[in-house]
Amino acid sequence: MNQIEGGQVKWIKKNFEDDDLTNLGRDEVENVVDAVFVTMGGKESLATRTHISSTCRRLRIPVNVFDAPNLCITTSGKGCKLATRIRREVAALLPQNFGSVVERLGTIRRRIWEEDHRSQTLEDEEDDLPAQKPSFNQLITESDHSAAKTRRIRWLSQICEYWPLRRLASITDSDIDTILQAYSSPSHPSATTQTTTSPLDISSLDLRVRPVPRIILAGSGPGSPSLLTLATHRAIQTATVILADKLVPSPILDLIPRRTPLHIARKFPGNAEAAQQELLSLGLEALQKGETVLRLKQGDPYIYGRGSEEYTWFKEKGFKPIVLPGITSALSAPMFAGVPCTSRGVSDQVLICTGTGRKGKAPEPPAYGEGKTVVFLMALHRIGELAESLVASTVDGEEDGGERRKRDVWPKETPCAVVERASCHDQRVIRSTLEFVVQAVENEGSRPPGLLVLGKACEVLKGRGGARWVVEEGFDGFEGLDDVIGLQVGAGEMREMAAERENATAT
């Protein structure tokens, strides 16, 4: 109806008549219609639909009758929606604007036919001339006209069959003239040899279809290669330059093909901003060379990973990043430590905080909430200061109506858990309370990367048995799944997969 109202389609309100097929068409084709689509349905209209179809076929007019398998191009009632989806999926695999490629190749074929036909006509006219040319009595060999024509068509058939679609998509209108002139010129190898030498420089064509520079911001998850998304794993295998955070675990870095340059951020206290700028500059330099750059981050790129800053920075430089999510350690690490961030009747809120603000400044600690679970990222290096601020009664905010509000402090007996190297084989969990967690970390040492979980949810599934703290070593989160669903893929196996792919690419 929108097309009718917009004047794109004219609605003729009348019953169908046979003469409509030869009266409603374009003047250029003597008013014969180009095609007919019959959309009327129902058993009562079957006779009319059959009559229209038969009349169109008699007049050689393309016709398609809706919901009539014997009168149309159809899936025979076995999946119209599925056929539509298959068509959509196939079209998505083709290079963009591939329809123009079909038009260009069709133009080449048509012009070859026209030139061959014209040359044959000229030869016939020469035969009718009373005066013969000196070349009339020359021996005609197999490398002459018919062979040249065969080579042109054979070359066209071969590139349609064997060339990558992206290379075909790079052919331009000027290439068509090059092809035809090459085969028309006696000096060109394509016109004088029995082989199907390409008249186009294939290397120059492939340069046109090189992948555009691409920047990918991807999260590597909490640590285990098994927790990588398929998209991030593919990005690791296909990137030409990888810039990784310092805390990305070695089992993830082991998946990087040996041929791929890797730069790890040189971040340390006092050098964070300089190291960040170095990574950005390296990424921009690689993009300007046409590389596919993978910015590999720990966890999820948008959870305290400066992902939004990097997205904006690269976009302003003319390179819009692709962002791939990762399983954030803020939620997965507590789970691997046996801490449900929410549990009915215990915790109905989850708060993710950072222990380190901009330029190393300590952020304002969150207020106490009985049903709240708080996850602190990047906090273990200043856990003493953080624990002290949580239990201290400090002024929160500005004066309000002449009164100063105090922040609700966290009780010292609040359960907490330090989770380090979550999902890795050397995972460690220290269960304690806010009162003793600093002493526990000082005694047990640090094993980064790690985080602090605070709240009553820390003792829903596992307790301390009255001890000031307990330490749990190792990770068995995927134990038993190998034989069930094949989830756990060891780092060694993943390395072998990467090596096999690398060897296949090299050969």
Side-chain angles (χ1 to χ4, degrees):
M1 292 302 295
N2 291 336
Q3 291 180 325
I4 294 175
E5 294 174 357
Q8 298 170 308
V9 175
K10 183 179 180 181
W11 186 7
I12 303 176
K13 299 181 180 180
K14 63 184 290 293
N15 293 329
F16 172 79
E17 298 177 1
D18 291 355
D19 292 341
D20 293 338
L21 298 175
T22 53
N23 292 332
L24 299 179
R26 296 176 291 125
D27 293 337
E28 305 93 284
V29 290
E30 299 181 351
N31 299 320
V32 177
V33 299
D34 294 310
V36 174
F37 299 91
V38 183
T39 59
M40 64 175 66
K43 293 183 178 179
E44 63 278 0
S45 64
L46 180 59
T48 303
R49 289 185 292 169
T50 303
H51 170 72
I52 295 174
S53 177
S54 300
T55 305
C56 289
R57 293 174 185 274
R58 186 173 68 252
L59 296 174
R60 300 292 191 270
I61 298 174
V63 59
N64 203 58
V65 182
F66 172 75
D67 205 21
N70 59 325
L71 301 177
C72 66
I73 302 173
T74 178
T75 59
S76 300
K78 297 180 181 178
C80 298
K81 292 293 185 182
L82 180 59
T84 301
R85 179 185 173 185
I86 292 174
R87 180 178 180 275
R88 187 172 65 248
E89 296 281 351
V90 171
L93 297 175
L94 297 175
Q96 291 185 351
N97 303 320
F98 198 70
S100 61
V101 179
V102 177
E103 291 292 335
R104 288 192 180 96
L105 294 177
T107 299
I108 296 175
R109 188 177 187 87
R110 175 177 54 78
R111 289 182 59 178
I112 289 175
W113 183 88
E114 289 176 350
E115 290 190 8
D116 291 346
H117 181 72
R118 184 168 57 252
S119 64
Q120 183 62 47
T121 301
L122 292 174
E123 290 176 5
D124 293 342
E125 291 176 354
E126 289 180 356
D127 290 342
D128 295 335
L129 293 176
Q132 298 176 355
K133 292 186 176 182
S135 60
F136 179 78
N137 290 320
Q138 288 183 354
L139 179 64
I140 299 177
T141 65
E142 193 168 338
S143 62
D144 288 332
H145 305 295
S146 59
K149 297 174 186 176
T150 302
R151 281 195 296 274
R152 291 200 295 189
I153 291 296
R154 188 163 68 245
W155 177 82
L156 183 61
S157 299
Q158 287 182 352
I159 69 168
C160 291
E161 179 69 25
Y162 299 115
W163 275 18
L165 294 181
R166 293 191 178 277
R167 183 184 295 169
L168 289 174
S170 68
I171 294 178
T172 63
D173 292 334
S174 61
D175 292 332
I176 296 177
D177 295 329
T178 302
I179 294 168
L180 296 174
Q181 290 173 7
Y183 279 109
S184 299
S185 173
S187 62
H188 196 279
S190 302
T192 58
T193 63
Q194 294 296 324
T195 62
T196 53
T197 305
S198 173
L200 298 178
D201 184 356
I202 294 179
S203 60
S204 65
L205 287 178
D206 290 341
L207 285 175
R208 300 178 192 170
V209 295
R210 278 185 174 179
V212 297
R214 187 171 289 112
I215 173 68
I216 304 171
L217 307 180
S220 63
S224 171
S226 297
L227 298 177
L228 281 175
T229 65
L230 291 177
T232 297
H233 182 262
R234 177 171 176 77
I236 290 174
Q237 296 297 311
T238 58
T240 55
V241 174
I242 296 180
L243 309 174
D245 278 347
K246 180 180 179 180
L247 294 179
V248 175
S250 58
I252 302 294
L253 299 179
D254 287 342
L255 302 179
I256 299 175
R258 289 188 297 272
R259 67 179 182 276
T260 306
L262 168 65
H263 185 92
I264 299 176
R266 294 182 290 187
K267 291 187 178 181
F268 53 83
N271 189 54
E273 291 300 324
Q276 176 70 9
Q277 189 57 47
E278 180 185 23
L279 284 185
L280 294 176
S281 300
L282 289 171
L284 180 60
E285 181 182 347
L287 289 170
Q288 292 171 340
K289 295 179 180 179
E291 306 281 3
T292 296
V293 179
L294 173 60
R295 181 69 177 90
L296 192 61
K297 296 176 170 293
Q298 174 79 342
D300 183 273
Y302 280 179
I303 304 295
Y304 293 116
R306 303 186 70 165
S308 61
E309 297 176 31
E310 295 187 17
Y311 182 97
T312 302
W313 193 89
F314 283 111
K315 186 177 180 181
E316 290 176 348
K317 297 297 185 292
F319 301 98
K320 183 179 179 180
I322 299 171
V323 184
L324 302 179
I327 298 178
T328 175
S329 59
L331 299 179
S332 59
M335 184 192 70
F336 291 133
V339 177
C341 286
T342 64
S343 183
R344 190 166 57 174
V346 178
S347 174
D348 56 9
Q349 300 177 47
V350 181
L351 180 61
I352 302 175
C353 299
T354 177
T356 304
R358 298 197 60 168
K359 298 182 178 180
K361 183 180 179 181
E364 184 71 23
Y368 171 71
E370 185 176 359
K372 182 186 297 183
T373 300
V374 183
V375 181
F376 291 94
L377 303 177
M378 301 179 292
L380 297 187
H381 65 288
R382 53 176 300 271
I383 191 170
E385 183 183 350
L386 174 61
E388 182 179 351
S389 66
L390 288 169
V391 299
S393 178
T394 59
V395 176
D396 182 20
E398 302 295 334
E399 294 187 4
D400 184 13
E403 296 182 2
R404 299 177 67 87
R405 295 180 294 104
K406 290 187 177 182
R407 178 177 54 83
D408 293 334
V409 299
W410 289 80
K412 292 183 178 181
E413 61 273 14
T414 303
C416 61
V418 173
V419 187
E420 299 170 302
R421 300 189 59 78
S423 77
C424 296
H425 67 280
D426 56 347
Q427 172 181 298
R428 183 175 70 177
V429 181
I430 302 176
R431 303 184 189 278
S432 184
T433 62
L434 198 52
E435 181 179 4
F436 298 109
V437 67
V438 176
Q439 183 182 352
V441 171
E442 290 176 349
N443 284 10
E444 302 296 338
S446 179
R447 191 180 295 177
L451 53 79
L452 173 68
V453 189
L454 181 65
K456 293 183 178 180
C458 292
E459 293 189 345
V460 169
L461 299 180
K462 294 183 178 181
R464 293 172 289 110
R468 291 185 172 184
W469 68 82
V470 295
V471 179
E472 300 171 359
E473 294 277 0
F475 174 70
D476 59 0
F478 299 142
E479 185 176 347
L481 290 180
D482 296 15
D483 300 330
V484 180
I485 60 175
L487 175 63
Q488 174 68 12
V489 180
E493 294 173 285
M494 296 286 272
R495 284 195 297 270
E496 292 177 4
M497 292 167 57
E500 291 175 1
R501 179 174 296 190
E502 183 176 0
N503 292 335
T505 303
T507 56

